[in-house]
Amino acid sequence: FLIGDGMLMISSSLIIPIIATPFNLSKFEVSFISGSLFLGYTIGAFISGIISANIGRKITFIIGNLIIIIGGLVPALLHIDKNIIMSCNLIIGISLGISIPCIFSLVAEVMSKDCRSIFVGMGWVVFPLGEIFLCIFSQKLHMWNYNNGNWKIILYVRLVLFFVTLFMSFFIVE
């Protein structure tokens, strides 16, 4: 999950230089496209406890994953404009902010006391691996040209692990 989180976080940084000129993005819009993911993340983290306390952490995590997938597919499948990208980044960010505390809480409950700190530490070590992977992947596929359309592959690849996580989340014991 956190590798996918890393890919989501870096994807805006990879896409913005490609779409800035064709979309006529202002400096504010460039900043907001990047910042909307983090704004959503903050909102999601704030409300995560309330939601998971009412419907359970497992269900909250599953719903968060579904929203991440839907929010990620919308700009990949539809005709993209800057408002769709900003809105979807905000929605994805909220879902990430909701999901991450849930998965850490769930894992902390089932792991022994000795393993918890290792898991938490390793969880944040794998986050940059997602960022590194997507950067290398993008470079190898020469996605830096808006006109060839290859840059849209970034929007799909960043979601792969969330499909896997969604499937695996049904087996989480709560």
Side-chain angles (χ1 to χ4, degrees):
F1 178 80
L2 290 174
I3 292 174
D5 184 16
M7 286 194 281
L8 280 171
M9 293 296 185
I10 198 69
S11 64
S12 289
S13 297
L14 295 171
I15 292 171
I16 288 172
I18 300 168
I19 65 170
T21 302
F23 284 23
N24 295 319
L25 297 178
S26 68
K27 289 181 181 181
F28 173 79
E29 290 167 331
V30 166
S31 300
F32 193 77
I33 287 174
S34 294
S36 60
L37 194 63
F38 295 101
L39 174 63
Y41 193 93
T42 304
I43 294 167
F46 182 71
I47 62 175
S48 176
I50 297 165
I51 295 170
S52 62
N54 288 318
I55 64 172
R57 288 179 299 281
K58 179 179 176 179
I59 298 297
T60 303
F61 183 68
I62 290 170
I63 292 169
N65 260 316
L66 281 170
I67 295 171
I68 289 167
I69 291 169
I70 293 166
L73 285 175
V74 166
L77 297 174
L78 297 178
H79 174 71
I80 299 180
D81 71 12
K82 57 190 169 191
N83 296 321
I84 289 175
I85 292 174
M86 286 186 244
S87 301
C88 288
N89 270 2
L90 184 65
I91 291 166
I92 290 169
I94 291 170
S95 300
L96 284 172
I98 289 170
S99 298
I100 289 175
C102 290
I103 196 61
F104 273 105
S105 297
L106 283 167
V107 172
E109 288 177 3
V110 298
M111 292 190 124
S112 70
K113 190 176 179 181
D114 298 333
C115 294
R116 285 183 203 146
S117 62
I118 294 169
F119 169 76
V120 171
M122 289 306 294
W124 291 112
V125 167
V126 299
F127 174 86
L129 293 178
E131 294 179 326
I132 293 166
F133 169 79
L134 197 60
C135 288
I136 292 170
F137 181 83
S138 300
Q139 185 65 37
K140 293 295 180 190
L141 290 183
H142 306 287
M143 296 184 178
W144 310 117
N145 182 349
Y146 177 79
N147 295 327
N148 69 14
N150 283 352
W151 64 275
K152 280 190 172 184
I153 296 171
I154 295 171
L155 300 176
Y156 294 111
V157 171
R158 68 185 188 161
L159 297 175
V160 170
L161 291 176
F162 290 97
F163 281 102
V164 173
T165 304
L166 179 63
F167 173 75
M168 292 173 53
S169 64
F170 290 100
F171 301 100
I172 295 173
V173 178
E174 182 175 22

